[in-house]
Amino acid sequence: MAGRQTLLFTSIKHKLYQDAIDLHLVQPYTIAEMSDVLRMPSEDFNDLPPFPKDFYNVSKDDILKQGTRWPTPDVLNAQRVLMKNFTKYAHEIVLLAWELLNNHLGLPVGTLLKMHRLEGISGDQIHLIKAPPQPPDDRRTALAEHTDFDSITVLFNRLGGLQILPPGDQAEWCYMKPLLGHAIVNLSDALVKFTNGLLRSNIHRVSSPPGTQAGTTRYSLVYFSRPEDDLILKRLQGSTKIPPLAKDEVEEEINSKDWIIRRGLGRRPGIHGTKAFDWTSFRGSEEKSRRINAQVNLAQLS
Ligand SMILES: O=C(O)CCC(=O)C(=O)O
Ligand SMILES: [Fe+2]
């Protein structure tokens, strides 16, 4: 873990890395063809929109043939075996993280794992991003500041550009340098809910890659692990480390599927009209995660 409060794991060495590279090798041919399907509007409403890039999401349950089969471009259908292997290996990393966190939090054995089973129906996704080089006079943010709306994100990058914002009001953005043979693991918003803010969501953004890397197309391969669809996202029971709710606090009753839809589609003007640009109604756990008005006893993290 790269810091108790940041709760961002680096250094998970795994045979998965070769699969990730294999998948990257197909991307130059695939993403360009797939990209129009899920294009998102700008997330950055106060500034220039992030620099244009292509991305595409592939559902775990579709790839494992256990859920909805989505219309898929031929170029992706040809890679189903590779995607299936990648999904299984990425999920193994996620299970390892659950074991570690479950122990760390003192939860009953298997609590987190049972909420994120490979065979459980969930919003887990492979997320492919292709970001072209930006001109030297336009090195604006490529992906705006955000937290991920999942439980854990496993991230394979070969180029730099990912930056994280540590906790605290004086915090400054730091680059995360990708290490060969390693994945980066971010903790995300569902864990903030499950632990009532004890674990923080990693606040991150993507800038134009540093130095000479800025001249190269940047591919990201991401696995989003999400709670199973029917689970209600609330503070978990059974750990003495997870802080109690505030007096009279009532948690909202929302299941994982509806929460994902709210976070994922909330910013699409085609669905929500101008309300889509009301960032505050769809944002993640930034306030709790920045710990500026910390209500969480950080000593409990040890
Ligand atoms: O490309 C990256 O390094 C990060 C991507 C990311 O944060 C995301 O897709 O949510
Ligand atoms: Fe992200």
Side-chain angles (χ1 to χ4, degrees), residues 127 129 143 146 148 155 157 162 204 206 218 220 222 224:
H127 181 59
I129 311 173
L143 181 62
H146 65 283
D148 291 340
L155 191 55
N157 290 327
L162 176 68
H204 55 288
V206 181
R218 182 176 187 274
S220 274
V222 185
F224 292 125

Side-chain angles (χ1 to χ4, degrees), residues 70-90:
W70 297 99
T72 312
D74 289 346
V75 71
L76 178 60
N77 271 323
Q79 299 298 339
R80 280 188 175 267
V81 172
L82 189 60
M83 297 267 180
K84 185 172 171 185
N85 290 339
F86 175 78
T87 299
K88 286 183 166 175
Y89 290 138

Side-chain angles (χ1 to χ4, degrees), residues 99-291:
E99 208 179 309
L100 294 171
L101 283 171
N102 212 89
N103 290 342
H104 186 72
L105 293 167
L107 282 165
V109 176
T111 303
L112 292 168
L113 199 138
K114 280 185 228 153
M115 299 163 71
H116 300 86
R117 295 166 305 155
L118 187 66
E119 67 277 16
I121 300 299
S122 72
D124 282 26
Q125 284 174 330
I126 303 174
H127 181 59
L128 305 162
I129 311 173
K130 179 184 183 185
Q134 296 175 225
D137 61 350
D138 185 2
R139 294 274 156 91
R140 76 182 112 131
T141 306
L143 181 62
E145 166 184 346
H146 65 283
T147 56
D148 291 340
F149 52 101
D150 61 346
S151 305
I152 273 186
T153 305
V154 186
L155 191 55
F156 297 88
N157 290 327
R158 285 186 291 175
L159 294 191
L162 176 68
Q163 295 183 313
I164 63 159
L165 189 64
D169 55 1
Q170 303 300 315
E172 292 186 5
W173 289 99
C174 322
Y175 275 106
M176 294 303 300
K177 185 176 178 182
L179 302 176
L180 194 64
H182 295 71
I184 293 172
V185 180
N186 289 335
L187 303 193
S188 314
D189 292 346
L191 280 172
V192 179
K193 281 183 173 279
F194 292 147
T195 67
N196 191 23
L198 179 67
L199 299 181
R200 70 181 289 271
S201 198
N202 181 35
I203 302 169
H204 55 288
R205 69 181 186 188
V206 181
S207 294
S208 176
T212 52
Q213 293 186 3
T216 312
T217 296
R218 182 176 187 274
Y219 293 98
S220 274
L221 178 57
V222 185
Y223 187 82
F224 292 125
S225 165
R226 296 188 160 123
E228 295 180 22
D229 277 0
D230 294 342
L231 286 170
I232 303 288
L233 304 188
K234 281 185 165 177
R235 176 186 176 277
L236 294 176
Q237 305 291 329
S239 157
T240 53
K241 295 196 175 176
I242 296 177
L245 297 176
K247 191 168 173 293
D248 300 330
E249 183 179 352
V250 180
E251 292 178 280
E252 71 173 331
E253 290 279 331
I254 186 162
N255 71 27
S256 179
K257 186 173 179 180
D258 291 343
W259 176 73
I260 292 164
I261 292 171
R262 188 171 81 190
R263 287 289 314 277
L265 301 184
R267 275 175 270 149
R268 287 169 188 259
I271 297 173
H272 293 277
T274 50
K275 282 201 199 131
F277 291 92
D278 175 8
W279 168 236
T280 49
S281 42
F282 302 109
R283 60 183 301 162
S285 64
E286 287 85 350
E287 276 79 18
K288 269 190 180 171
S289 293
R290 286 202 68 192
R291 305 230 188 280

